[in-house]
Amino acid sequence: MASNDYRAIRSIAVNAEDVVTALEATRRGESAVFRVTPPFSGRMRARIHVEHAGEYDTTPEPVHIAPARFVPDAPDYPTPDATEGRLRADSDVEYTVEHHHEHHTAAVAAWRETVTDAITDSVTLDGEFGPHRVAVSALG
């Protein structure tokens, strides 16, 4: 049965690739969240959304979940500067722009895989009725 109370939600499905994309975007300073829109029911879908202040004037408002809450133990995002530092510190590798690009691309791919594997199995929703823990199903 549909409800205006987010405590009706028992589980949230989220696309694993979207979690990686949103977490990567927030690490670069963008404002991505996952949105669950009312009416709420037992099983809901959280979709990636770019958050804008004051965009809702209806009650109830959608629930917004920060991507980091789906991956609480995410490793640091690899930066090009960190990749360059590792390459320049490795005396067995000659630094070139091509090596830098290859190593950084590999570091980002490894980070994405680690994040996908680390998606939590539950998350707490917060709102006017207080905290409410729900199961998370990562799709994809």
Side-chain angles (χ1 to χ4, degrees):
M1 178 175 286
S3 170
N4 288 335
D5 184 344
Y6 61 87
R7 295 175 298 178
I9 301 170
R10 292 185 316 275
S11 67
I12 292 175
V14 65
N15 181 293
E17 188 174 315
D18 286 350
V19 171
V20 173
T21 299
L23 189 58
E24 189 172 15
T26 60
R27 299 280 169 103
R28 290 184 304 202
E30 297 175 34
S31 183
V33 296
F34 284 86
R35 180 176 66 180
V36 181
T37 56
F40 302 117
S41 62
R43 295 187 309 195
M44 298 291 297
R45 179 77 185 252
R47 298 191 187 279
I48 193 169
H49 176 73
V50 176
E51 190 173 34
H52 302 286
E55 69 181 298
Y56 298 105
D57 59 356
T58 60
T59 303
E61 289 186 3
V63 173
H64 284 184
I65 307 165
R69 293 181 54 207
F70 287 109
V71 191
D73 297 321
D76 290 337
Y77 184 75
T79 65
D81 290 344
T83 301
E84 180 180 353
R86 280 192 303 279
L87 281 174
R88 291 193 185 276
D90 187 345
S91 60
D92 294 333
V93 177
E94 177 185 356
Y95 179 83
T96 66
V97 172
E98 292 80 21
H99 279 131
H100 185 188
H101 179 73
E102 290 169 6
H103 283 258
H104 187 65
T105 299
V108 170
W111 180 87
R112 288 177 176 157
E113 185 175 328
T114 299
V115 167
T116 299
D117 293 341
I119 295 174
T120 188
D121 61 357
S122 67
V123 69
T124 300
L125 306 178
D126 295 311
E128 67 178 298
F129 302 114
H132 174 66
R133 194 136 188 98
V134 299
V136 172
S137 296
L139 308 174

